Each structure stands twice: as structure tokens, then as C-alpha cells.
Amino acid sequence: IQQLEADLFEATVLDPPTILSDASFFSDSLVLTIENLFEGTDIYYTLDGSVPNSSSTKYEANIILNNTASVKAIAVKKDWEPSFVTERTFIKNNIAYTDVKLLTTPNEKYKGQKGKTLIDQKRGSINFVDGNWLGFEGKHLNAIIELKEQNTISKVSIGALSAPASWIFYPTAFVISSSDDGVTFKEIGRKKMGVESPNAEVKLTFFDMEFTPTDAKYVKLQIQSPLKNPDWHTNPGGKSWIFIDEVVLN
């Protein structure tokens, strides 16, 4: 009986805190809060994407972001196991867009608002039928973004979903090219991420790439799909998907 009682009252894992804000994108500054419903817990956080611990910054008041940040937080309480890490990315964006022309047609079930889906500043959720994702089965995403005016760009961020059980995987690479007239494009950067390692987790993230500052009025993107399920998948070789919700230029 004594052993049973000890097992019942040994440390329990805390629920992770919740990172709250009115938006995921901002042009000037953004205020966010972090909450945990369990009384007597302390919250620790980081803004650079590193994993927080009890030596990280302690949350005590609203956080004001002035730049893009990957916010991660944990809850800690004496005699309890720390919570899992919760995270959320907030992106600063000062470039306005006129239109997005899709050169690849998304699947009819996952077409969102077509090209505008990529610039509406609305993040998709892990529920990929929420209307905020563009889904492409067995093909790459190719698109041309027209900026409202000529701008200097030096970074691109691409929001993507991974849900291996649903045959959805992160892109393997992306290529960005610029143009002044929308006809002649010059490649200005490319990034390779490779094929995902074995996992069954449903998750979303932003892939960032920085490149030499370049003046552009039009930007062409190719977001490359793995095209087929990897060898480790339960259905290796099946036609796989990529799901993209946002493209942000800075």
C-alpha cells in the first residue's frame, strides 16, 4: 500500500503554457503574453528558438517584439516534472504585395484562396482542411509574387506542414529568383532541407533563407516536394503532399 501511495503522488508532468497574441505577423511591434492555468507555476522563455529551461528568462510581464522571433516557453513547478516546450513564431513583415500567380495548380480540395493564401498573413493549423493551406500532391509549388513597389529583399520565410500519417511532408528545398519586369528572372538563393527523418508527429514550422540584398518587383519561388513518401514510411513510394500556408519576404 505504501508503494502504491508513493506511485500516486510522484511528480506529474505540467501542461505546457500557452503563448497568446492577436497576430502572427506584424509590421512595427507586437505584444504577446504567456499563460499557464495551473497555480504556482513559473514560466521561462526564449526568443531565439533555443530550448528554454529554469535558467532562461522568467516570464513576469507582457513581451514586446520588435523583430521576428521564435518564442519557446516551459512551465516549472517545485516537485513536478517541467512541461513540454510550447513554441510559436512571430514574423515582422514590411513589404506589401499586389498579387501571387500560381504556376502550379493546387489540389481542388486544398486550394484555399489560391495565390492569395500565401500572402494573407493567416497561419494554417494542424487541421489542414481549415482553408488556410495550399496542398500539392506529387508536384512542386511554383509561383510568382508581385510586390506593390520595387523593394530590396534579403530574406524569405516559408510556412509548411508535416503530417507523415497523412502523407504530408516538409519541402525538401526551395529556390528564389528576382525580376524587375516579371519576364526575366535571376536566381538569388536556394536552400536544401533534405528528406525528413522518421517521425509520426504533426507539426508546422517556417523555413528561413537569407541571401544577398537584391532589388526586385517580382519574385519567383519554387518550393520542392519530396514527391514520394520516404523509404521509412508505412507506404513507401506513394505520391506525397506538401502543404504551404505563407510566404513572407523581408
Side-chain angles (χ1 to χ4, degrees):
I1 294 176
Q2 289 180 345
Q3 180 61 47
L4 177 60
E5 290 177 347
D7 291 343
L8 286 173
F9 290 100
E10 66 182 10
T12 305
V13 177
L14 290 167
D15 287 335
T18 303
I19 302 169
L20 300 171
S21 179
D22 292 335
S24 295
F25 304 89
F26 61 101
S27 58
D28 184 21
S29 62
L30 185 71
V31 178
L32 62 90
T33 59
I34 308 178
E35 294 183 354
N36 188 280
L37 299 178
F38 203 93
E39 292 185 3
T41 61
D42 291 322
I43 296 172
Y44 296 90
Y45 69 93
T46 60
L47 301 178
D48 61 0
S50 60
V51 177
N53 54 43
S54 57
S55 298
S56 303
T57 303
K58 185 177 180 180
Y59 176 76
E60 295 179 316
N62 290 354
I63 300 168
I64 300 176
L65 298 180
N66 295 304
N67 294 292
T68 294
S70 177
V71 183
K72 294 187 177 184
I74 59 167
V76 175
K77 182 178 172 64
K78 185 179 179 181
D79 297 328
W80 288 61
E81 289 291 323
S83 73
F84 292 110
V85 176
T86 188
E87 62 181 296
R88 189 171 169 187
T89 299
F90 300 91
I91 293 185
K92 187 171 185 176
N93 177 226
N94 291 313
I95 294 179
Y97 314 104
T98 297
D99 192 25
V100 177
K101 179 181 180 182
L102 292 178
L103 305 179
T104 314
T105 304
N107 184 278
E108 185 67 21
K109 293 181 181 179
Y110 310 107
K111 63 181 181 179
Q113 300 299 313
K114 298 185 178 178
K116 293 187 184 299
T117 302
L118 299 178
I119 56 171
D120 63 2
Q121 298 197 347
K122 294 179 181 178
R123 284 243 65 186
S125 67
I126 59 174
N127 174 20
F128 54 84
V129 297
D130 63 9
N132 292 321
W133 293 98
L134 294 183
F136 298 84
E137 184 184 22
K139 54 185 173 183
H140 307 309
L141 188 167
N142 294 282
I144 296 176
I145 302 173
E146 181 181 357
L147 309 187
K148 191 171 183 179
E149 58 187 22
Q150 188 98 358
N151 251 298
T152 301
I153 57 173
S154 59
K155 182 179 180 180
V156 61
S157 301
I158 295 171
L161 173 73
S162 174
S166 299
W167 298 26
I168 302 170
F169 297 91
Y170 283 146
T172 57
F174 56 95
V175 182
I176 182 170
S177 304
S178 66
S179 172
D180 294 327
D181 58 11
V183 177
T184 304
F185 287 85
K186 179 182 179 181
E187 182 178 320
I188 56 175
R190 64 171 55 218
K191 180 173 183 174
K192 293 184 178 181
M193 291 86 74
V195 178
E196 285 184 66
S197 300
N199 76 98
E201 185 181 357
V202 180
K203 54 191 181 297
L204 54 154
T205 194
F206 271 102
F207 293 101
D208 299 326
M209 177 174 65
E210 295 185 355
F211 45 87
T212 302
T214 303
D215 289 339
K217 180 68 166 64
Y218 299 87
V219 173
K220 180 185 285 186
L221 272 175
Q222 182 184 74
I223 302 175
Q224 297 179 5
S225 167
L227 301 177
K228 296 180 179 181
N229 296 338
D231 292 341
W232 55 260
H233 194 262
T234 53
N235 293 95
K239 193 179 291 186
S240 64
W241 296 75
I242 54 170
F243 272 67
I244 308 297
D245 64 344
E246 287 294 316
V247 174
V248 181
L249 299 167
N250 276 299

